[in-house]
Amino acid sequence: MNLSILQSRTLQGVQAPPVIIEIHITGGLPNFCIVGLPKGAVKESKDRVRSAIINSQFKFPARRITVNLAPADVPKDGCRFDLPIALGILLANQQLAAKTLAEYEFIGELALTGELRPVKGVLPIALAVQKSGKKLILPTANAAEAGLISGLEIYPAEDLLQVCAHLTGKVLITAVVPSPPTPNFKKIPDLRDVYGQAAARRALEIAAAGGHSLLLSGPPGTGKTMLASRLPGILPPMSDDDALTVAAINSIAYNGFSVEQWQQRPFRNPHHSASSVALVGGGTPPRPGEISLAHNGVLFLDELPEFKRNVLEALREPLESGEITISRAAIQVEFPARFQLIAAMNPCPCGYLGDPAADCHCSQEQVQRYRQRLSGPFLDRIDMHVEVARVPQKYLLQAKRAGNEASASVRARVEQARALQHARTGMHNAAMNNEQLDKHVQLDDALKEWLLEALEKLKLSARSYHRLLRVARTIADLAGEAQVRQRHLAEALNYRLR
């Protein structure tokens, strides 16, 4: 029977559902047809496969070839099906005999010469293959990325001929033993480079310890961007599961994933001209946006009021839920988006309102219009608001001589606080729900009365109240105290003032 069946994978977000590739060759006029909702790159595989088979010294059958990609109702995109389609044609045309196809899955793009080229999205596919208990044959250039998955047998190949020789048992491909690379954290900027700004450094440490969002406001040149870029250096290392999730998201993104990024906290800094699709994700097929690429890391929005209002409003739901759902007519995809938002802004359009070293020339109406670009509900979702004042030049020189605390020592305190939080709830404080918050932040009657008076004076919302308690819980964890006290609440209240 001129029929062959092979197995591969497609991508739906960070998921990789299986695809069964059926090839049937019959008599009739020569024709090459691919069915099963193939997109443009899949349809073009006909020409790549034909040339690759001929240039690999095989005979391309001058008959009717039907390729079915099942399930037929799932869209197929990308060039990863080139290799299994070519192998299926050779098997169905009886130019290749293999008895162990059921234990393999195949991905890879074919050059016209038969060489195998790398494809995107290998990490989610490799993870799915590992869970299925099968082996994976893929291009050599993708072996390092797939090698991050422990317990998976990987067979990297240079070209179509090498795969055929392996399947027939003539020349076996040596399996690659997965070995995750050693993380490289040397390129992360150090907090030692920031001089002065004791209040902002303290806020940054609290934000890192509890996973809280932070808004830095101050004149130009006060170090807001420097502070934000050093947050990844004081965050605790990621677990292997979190690192794999981050790597899988980057694997399906436009630029792909590099093993040099292994276990590094993402730091995304999109320009203020970015669209809402670029920020939250979208396209056809749906791709992750900046908020998903910043998963388990930092999303830094500099010049916050310059972003379009609809772009910032699109962040409101992911800030609460930690995920984003992108719906299209034919598909619905979910991407994780548990990021830590750090934003920076000037106090007015010219940037010098309240700055003793420069004069502000903005009118009250201009300042009000500038600040109204940020909606109240959006600002309400930011845990901490900090004013960053200008550091005197004389103090800068003194600070350079005296030295500053490095990221390593700050990270040690952050890790201790995170350890307390994970022992208590299994998560950092910013992710606690209200029930967990009520259980682990218990206030006596006097403290409740004091807090109620403060809430009424500041006119804080219920959301602000719960975020206040989470920040206070983090401050207490940094101090190593089991109970939240008035001084912890007072400091957290100070970060709610706008």
Side-chain angles (χ1 to χ4, degrees):
M1 185 172 65
N2 298 331
L3 176 68
S4 61
I5 301 175
L6 295 91
Q7 297 183 359
S8 185
R9 298 270 169 176
T10 189
L11 288 175
Q12 289 184 354
V14 291
Q15 304 299 321
V19 172
I20 299 174
I21 300 176
E22 303 170 329
I23 295 94
H24 188 210
I25 300 179
T26 61
L29 293 175
N31 185 36
F32 194 163
C33 177
I34 300 178
V35 298
L37 285 184
K39 299 293 183 179
V42 181
K43 293 178 181 179
E44 293 173 352
S45 68
K46 294 185 292 185
D47 299 315
R48 294 192 296 271
V49 167
R50 180 185 289 108
S51 296
I53 289 177
I54 294 173
N55 291 322
S56 298
Q57 309 305 315
F58 291 105
K59 182 181 179 181
F60 190 83
R63 304 170 69 186
R64 184 177 182 85
I65 303 173
T66 303
V67 178
N68 180 40
L69 307 177
D73 59 344
V74 176
K76 320 297 189 306
D77 190 31
C79 47
R80 67 186 65 88
F81 302 113
D82 288 4
L83 176 60
I85 290 175
L87 292 172
I89 291 175
L90 295 176
L91 288 164
N93 197 39
Q94 299 179 357
Q95 297 184 65
L96 181 67
K99 299 180 181 180
T100 58
L101 285 177
E103 62 187 52
Y104 291 101
E105 295 193 19
F106 306 87
I107 59 169
E109 176 187 352
L110 283 173
L112 300 185
T113 59
E115 179 186 356
L116 280 174
R117 290 175 173 167
V119 296
K120 291 182 180 179
V122 168
L123 203 53
I125 292 174
L127 186 59
V129 174
Q130 185 265 339
K131 292 180 179 178
S132 68
K134 297 183 179 178
K135 307 172 185 177
L136 180 62
I137 295 181
L138 77 173
T140 301
N142 289 128
E145 183 178 343
L148 298 174
I149 308 298
S150 59
L152 172 65
E153 286 192 48
I154 305 166
Y155 294 88
E158 294 286 347
D159 51 38
L160 179 60
L161 278 174
Q162 190 177 5
V163 178
C164 294
H166 176 79
L167 293 177
T168 56
K170 294 180 179 179
V171 182
L172 296 178
I173 301 174
T174 303
V176 172
V177 179
S179 56
T182 302
N184 181 16
F185 302 113
K186 294 182 179 179
K187 296 182 179 180
I188 300 177
D190 199 289
L191 197 60
R192 179 191 289 115
D193 302 329
V194 180
Y195 299 103
Q197 302 297 4
R201 291 168 64 98
R202 167 67 174 171
L204 200 69
E205 181 178 342
I206 295 171
H212 304 290
S213 52
L214 174 64
L215 174 60
L216 302 172
S217 176
T222 54
K224 301 186 294 295
T225 302
M226 285 188 66
L227 285 163
S229 64
R230 280 145 181 81
L231 178 58
I234 63 175
L235 291 173
M238 287 189 292
S239 65
D240 288 343
D241 290 340
D242 289 343
L244 277 176
T245 303
V246 171
I249 296 172
N250 282 274
S251 179
I252 63 175
Y254 180 78
N255 292 326
F257 173 74
S258 172
V259 293
E260 296 177 356
Q261 303 170 332
W262 175 246
Q263 282 198 339
Q264 290 187 10
R265 294 274 185 180
F267 182 81
R268 306 295 299 185
N269 182 14
H271 191 260
H272 61 256
S273 61
S275 65
S276 59
V277 172
L279 210 61
V280 303
T284 305
R287 298 288 185 185
E290 293 291 339
I291 63 174
S292 296
L293 294 173
H295 179 67
N296 287 330
V298 179
L299 176 67
F300 177 50
L301 302 183
D302 200 3
E303 304 295 341
L304 186 65
E306 301 298 335
F307 282 82
K308 295 180 181 179
R309 189 182 181 97
N310 67 307
V311 174
L312 295 180
E313 296 303 305
L315 296 178
R316 286 162 56 177
E317 292 180 5
L319 277 172
E320 296 281 354
S321 63
E323 61 183 13
I324 181 71
T325 301
I326 300 173
S327 299
R328 296 293 181 264
I331 193 172
Q332 187 179 68
V333 176
E334 290 186 0
F335 291 111
R338 182 70 67 181
F339 59 93
Q340 192 166 351
L341 175 64
I342 306 296
M345 62 176 289
N346 297 326
C348 66
C350 76
Y352 296 106
L353 180 64
D355 186 3
D359 295 328
C360 174
H361 301 285
C362 301
S363 65
Q364 184 176 358
E365 183 180 354
Q366 288 175 319
V367 175
Q368 185 177 5
R369 192 185 309 118
Y370 177 77
R371 295 182 177 179
Q372 283 179 345
R373 296 178 185 177
L374 306 175
S375 69
F378 174 74
L379 290 175
D380 205 35
R381 286 171 166 82
I382 299 180
D383 297 332
M384 305 169 65
H385 302 252
V386 178
E387 296 286 342
V388 183
R390 187 181 300 277
V391 178
Q393 295 179 356
K394 181 179 179 181
Y395 182 74
L396 285 175
L397 297 176
Q398 293 175 352
K400 287 185 178 181
R401 290 195 299 267
N404 281 307
E405 191 175 22
S407 293
S409 58
V410 179
R411 183 170 60 249
R413 294 196 296 269
V414 169
E415 290 178 356
Q416 289 179 354
R418 286 278 184 115
L420 291 174
Q421 296 165 30
H422 282 270
R424 184 167 55 232
T425 61
M427 64 189 72
H428 54 71
N429 288 336
M432 284 195 300
N433 57 35
N434 292 346
E435 182 179 355
Q436 293 170 323
L437 196 61
D438 293 338
K439 179 180 179 181
H440 299 293
V441 182
Q442 297 182 356
L443 309 177
D444 56 33
D445 293 338
L447 197 52
K448 287 180 180 178
E449 184 177 351
W450 176 86
L451 182 58
L452 178 61
E453 183 179 355
L455 294 175
E456 291 176 348
K457 287 184 178 180
L458 296 176
K459 299 179 180 179
L460 298 182
S461 66
R463 180 186 290 112
S464 296
Y465 164 71
H466 289 112
R467 291 184 178 273
L468 166 71
L469 293 184
R470 293 185 180 96
V471 174
R473 178 66 269 176
T474 300
I475 295 172
D477 289 337
L478 281 171
E481 299 189 25
Q483 296 293 330
V484 174
R485 306 187 185 279
Q486 183 173 345
R487 60 179 178 273
H488 306 142
L489 288 169
E491 185 177 358
L493 273 171
N494 186 55
Y495 296 130
R496 294 303 305 180
L497 301 177
R498 298 202 294 265

